[in-house]
Amino acid sequence: MLSRSRIVDAAVDLIEREGADAVSMRRIAAGLGVGVMSLYNHVPNKAALLDAISESVLSKIEFTDDPSAHWTDRVRVQARAFRQIAHHYPRSTMVVFSRQLHSTAGLLPVERALSTLRDAGFEGGEAVRMLRMFVAYIVGSLLREVGVTPTFAPVRGDATVVDVDPALFPEVSSLAPYLTSCDHDEEFEFGLELLVQAMSVRAGKQAGRRSARG
């Protein structure tokens, strides 16, 4: 039986295979073996479908952070949870960031992250900037992992490394073994820890200023 969830799942599968540009009501209907017009009984238009895809992806994030844990630990867990879902749906995740979401499923991860940052002592505007910083980091890491940003990504096993002139590029030449290999999990954790440590220092300074003001 045709349903909204079946349509959304079919659209997600299509995006992961061919990219968001491949999505059309006609393609989705053909994949489901139904008439195009029957889709409109469940999804009014393509824009609504893309919103539904975004909400579906976000609803799959499994938050396991303990509300009673230190905020730095919660930030780590939340970042890893988002990265995990982005790993499962890399192309659909890009759709998420192209939509303005207003649903419960779409706003719940945002609410959870902002609540954690506010509990850490960050003021409203700064908490929002912190959230955007983390989103940018996670998306950038994802793009590198799926090979969209190859310049600083590890060289594929089937690719040939071009020799560089060590006289012109001494650092690139000497560090070539590191530039051509990468453990994505270790790289992500390294960057995540740097961000959390920087946030912790900033939170400490703000707490000190608040105490000084009495």
Side-chain angles (χ1 to χ4, degrees), residues 46 56 59 62 106 150 181 196:
K46 182 178 177 180
S56 175
S59 70
E62 295 183 2
S181 64
V196 171

Side-chain angles (χ1 to χ4, degrees), residues 2 24-27 29-30 34-41 43:
L2 189 62
S24 70
M25 302 300 267
R26 188 174 300 278
R27 284 291 306 276
V34 299
V36 175
M37 298 308 296
S38 64
L39 299 185
Y40 293 101
N41 293 323
V43 183

Side-chain angles (χ1 to χ4, degrees), residues 6-63:
R6 279 194 65 202
I7 295 169
V8 171
D9 289 345
V12 169
D13 289 342
L14 179 59
I15 289 173
E16 294 305 320
R17 291 196 314 271
E18 302 182 30
D21 289 343
V23 174
S24 70
M25 302 300 267
R26 188 174 300 278
R27 284 291 306 276
I28 300 299
L32 292 170
V34 299
V36 175
M37 298 308 296
S38 64
L39 299 185
Y40 293 101
N41 293 323
H42 305 277
V43 183
N45 50 50
K46 182 178 177 180
L49 176 59
L50 292 175
D51 287 343
I53 290 167
S54 301
E55 293 161 8
S56 175
V57 171
L58 289 173
S59 70
K60 292 179 172 62
I61 299 177
E62 295 183 2
F63 291 109

Side-chain angles (χ1 to χ4, degrees), residues 1 19 28 47 55 75 77-78 80 88 91 93 104 106 108 113 117 121 127 175 183 198-199 213:
M1 180 180 295
I28 300 299
E55 293 161 8
V75 165
V77 172
Q78 291 170 16
R80 290 167 187 151
H88 289 312
R91 289 180 166 178
T93 297
T104 299
L108 181 59
L117 294 169
L175 298 176
D183 182 311
M199 292 169 64
R213 290 196 299 264

Side-chain angles (χ1 to χ4, degrees), residues 34-190:
V34 299
V36 175
M37 298 308 296
S38 64
L39 299 185
Y40 293 101
N41 293 323
H42 305 277
V43 183
N45 50 50
K46 182 178 177 180
L49 176 59
L50 292 175
D51 287 343
I53 290 167
S54 301
E55 293 161 8
S56 175
V57 171
L58 289 173
S59 70
K60 292 179 172 62
I61 299 177
E62 295 183 2
F63 291 109
T64 59
D65 55 304
D66 181 355
S68 65
H70 193 272
W71 70 267
T72 54
D73 293 326
R74 297 191 64 195
V75 165
R76 291 184 184 95
V77 172
Q78 291 170 16
R80 290 167 187 151
F82 191 89
R83 177 180 182 246
Q84 184 177 40
I85 204 66
H87 250 240
H88 289 312
Y89 306 99
R91 289 180 166 178
S92 297
T93 297
M94 295 300 103
V95 174
V96 170
F97 296 113
S98 71
R99 314 306 298 173
Q100 185 70 42
L101 302 178
H102 302 286
S103 69
T104 299
L107 292 176
L108 181 59
V110 177
E111 175 67 23
R112 195 175 188 115
L114 290 175
S115 175
T116 301
L117 294 169
R118 295 286 279 153
D119 288 345
F122 295 111
E123 296 179 355
E126 191 160 38
V128 170
R129 288 192 288 272
M130 292 284 184
L131 174 59
R132 288 173 178 161
M133 175 188 68
F134 264 96
V135 169
Y137 173 66
I138 294 170
V139 172
S141 297
L142 176 65
L143 291 176
R144 182 190 61 203
E145 291 185 44
V146 299
V148 178
T149 55
T151 300
F152 297 104
V155 177
R156 302 188 316 273
D158 60 348
T160 301
V161 179
V162 178
D163 291 331
V164 298
D165 186 342
L168 290 175
F169 308 105
E171 297 301 334
V172 172
S173 178
S174 66
L175 298 176
Y178 300 102
L179 290 170
T180 57
S181 64
C182 178
D183 182 311
H184 290 303
D185 292 334
E186 288 185 3
E187 293 281 330
F188 181 83
E189 289 297 324
F190 177 80

